[in-house]
C-alpha cells in the first residue's frame, strides 16, 4: 500500500448549510497529511444547493469530486462513494465533521497494520460532547445490543468516521444491501467476514453538531428492521479475536489525537 493514497467519502443530503465549513476543514486537514488525498461528496438527491457547492469548490491540493446517488439513504450514498473510489485507503465521514479529521494522521499510522480502523465514542479515551435527548440515548443503547449480535465486541458501530483498506471495503460494499442508518453494521460485518478481523476502535474527540438527519421516532423502527434483515442474510457472526499483541502499544505510539480547532 505504498505510496498511500486516501479518498474520503462524504454523504450529503441537503447539506448546503453545513457542507462549506465541513468541506473546508476536511480539505485543510487532508492537505497537511504526507499522502495524496481527495474527497468524494455524494449528493443523495438534495433539493438545496448541495451539488452546486461541490461543483463550484475551488481547485486546490485536495481534489473534490461530486458523485450522484439517486437511491435515497445514507447507506446508499456511502456505498456509491466507496464503489466510485480507487484509493488504497478509503473512508467516510459526516458533513458536519463532528470528529475532527485531524485524527486521520493517527488512523493512517494504524491502517498500516489493521484493515479497518474506526472512531469510537464509547472508548474510555474519547472526549464526547453530546447533547442527545434521553429518548435518543435509550435508542442508542438498544441499537448497540442488537448490533453486537452481528459485530461482536465492537462498542460503537455508528460514529460516522471509519477508514478501511480500499480493496477490502469495496468488496464489502458490493454486497451491501442496507441503505439506511444501520448500514455501518452491515459494512463492518461484511469486512470482518472477508478479512477475518474486527475493526480497531480508536478514541476521538467528538462534538455534537446540530442538524442531524436522524430521528428516533421516524427512523427507529426502520433501523431495527434493517438489523433483522442483516441477521437473516449475513453468514454466521465472526467471533471477536483476542487483542493482538502490541496493538495497544501501536495506538499509544501513533501520533497524538488532535482536538478540534476553536
Amino acid at each position: 500500500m505504498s505510496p498511500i493514497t486516501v479518498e474520503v467519502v462524504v454523504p450529503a443530503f441537503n447539506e448546503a448549510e453545513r457542507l462549506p465549513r465541513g468541506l473546508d476543514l476536511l480539505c485543510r486537514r487532508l492537505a497537511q497529511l504526507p499522502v495524496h488525498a481527495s474527497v468524494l461528496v455524494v449528493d443523495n438527491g438534495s433539493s438545496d444547493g448541495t451539488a452546486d457547492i461541490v461543483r463550484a469548490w475551488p481547485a486546490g491540493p485536495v481534489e473534490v469530486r461530486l458523485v450522484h446517488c439517486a437511491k435515497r439513504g445514507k447507506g446508499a450514498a456511502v456505498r456509491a462513494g466507496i464503489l466510485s473510489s480507487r484509493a488504497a485507503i478509503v473512508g467516510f465521514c459526516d458533513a458536519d465533521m463532528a470528529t475532527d479529521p485531524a485524527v486521520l494522521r493517527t488512523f493512517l499510522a494504524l491502517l498500516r497494520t489493521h484493515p479497518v480502523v474506526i472512531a469510537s465514542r464509547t472508548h474510555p479515551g474519547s472526549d464526547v460532547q453530546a447533547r442527545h435527548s434521553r429518548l435518543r440515548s435509550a435508542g442508542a443503547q438498544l441499537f448497540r445490543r442488537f448490533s453486537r449480535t452481528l459485530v461482536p465486541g465492537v462498542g460503537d458501530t455508528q460514529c460516522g468516521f471509519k477508514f478501511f483498506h480500499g480493496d477490502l471495503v469495496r468488496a464489502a460494499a458490493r454486497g451491501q444491501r442496507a441503505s439506511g442508518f444501520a448500514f455501518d453494521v452491515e459494512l463492518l460485518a461484511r469486512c470482518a467476514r472477508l478479512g477475518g478481523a474486527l475493526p480497531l476502535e480508536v478514541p476521538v474527540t467528538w462534538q455534537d453538531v446540530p442538524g442531524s438527519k436522524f430521528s428516533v421516532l421516524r427512523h427507529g423502527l426502520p433501523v431495527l428492521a434493517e438489523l433483522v434483515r442483516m441477521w437473516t442474510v449475513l453468514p454466521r457472526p465472526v467471533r471477536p479475536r483476542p487483542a493482538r499483541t502490541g496493538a495497544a502499544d501501536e495506538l499509544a505510539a501513533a501520533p497524538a489525537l488532535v482536538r478540534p480547532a476553536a
Side-chain angles (χ1 to χ4, degrees):
M1 293 192 304
S2 181
I4 296 176
T5 58
V6 180
E7 284 179 297
V8 183
V9 174
V10 180
F13 172 65
N14 288 342
E15 290 286 3
E17 183 176 343
R18 301 194 300 178
L19 185 60
R21 177 191 173 278
L23 197 52
D24 176 67
L25 177 62
L26 178 60
C27 288
R28 285 192 285 110
R29 297 297 196 229
L30 290 174
Q32 295 168 358
L33 298 176
V35 296
H36 174 72
S38 63
V39 178
L40 303 178
V41 179
V42 184
D43 178 28
N44 196 206
S46 300
S47 58
D48 62 1
T50 295
D52 294 332
I53 290 170
V54 181
R55 292 191 192 97
W57 199 258
V62 176
E63 179 187 13
V64 177
R65 293 196 288 132
L66 178 65
V67 176
H68 291 284
C69 177
K71 185 175 181 179
R72 294 294 291 273
K74 184 179 180 181
V78 170
R79 179 179 185 271
I82 290 172
L83 294 181
S84 297
S85 71
R86 302 179 295 273
I89 298 296
V90 178
F92 59 89
C93 62
D94 294 333
D96 60 9
M97 301 299 150
T99 301
D100 192 298
V103 77
L104 260 173
R105 188 175 296 273
T106 299
F107 273 49
L108 290 180
L110 296 170
L111 282 160
R112 294 188 181 280
T113 51
H114 298 272
V116 182
V117 180
I118 66 174
S120 175
R121 294 163 297 188
T122 62
H123 193 288
S126 289
D127 179 8
V128 178
Q129 302 172 37
R131 295 186 294 272
H132 290 161
S133 66
R134 290 184 179 179
L135 177 61
R136 183 159 178 172
S137 296
Q141 291 180 6
L142 180 62
F143 181 90
R144 280 194 286 270
R145 287 187 181 180
F146 277 97
S147 64
R148 284 181 184 137
T149 64
L150 294 162
V151 280
V154 179
D156 185 4
T157 62
Q158 298 311 109
C159 186
F161 198 92
K162 299 179 174 69
F163 282 78
F164 312 78
H165 289 183
D167 290 343
L168 172 64
V169 75
R170 282 186 285 269
R174 280 192 285 272
Q176 179 188 325
R177 295 294 176 265
S179 59
F181 287 101
F183 80 94
D184 306 70
V185 177
E186 182 181 3
L187 192 62
L188 292 175
R190 289 188 180 278
C191 283
R193 285 151 179 77
L194 288 169
L198 291 169
L200 177 66
E201 297 187 77
V202 176
V204 291
T205 296
W206 187 88
Q207 185 171 3
D208 185 34
V209 179
S212 171
K213 303 296 189 299
F214 180 80
S215 164
V216 175
L217 295 178
R218 290 201 315 274
H219 303 119
L221 287 178
V223 161
L224 290 177
E226 276 194 324
L227 289 176
V228 171
R229 283 196 295 270
M230 290 177 207
W231 179 256
T232 63
V233 300
L234 286 171
R236 186 177 177 180
V238 174
R239 291 186 179 276
R241 289 182 175 181
R244 192 169 60 82
T245 303
D249 295 335
E250 285 180 34
L251 183 55
L257 303 183
V258 180
R259 293 181 182 275

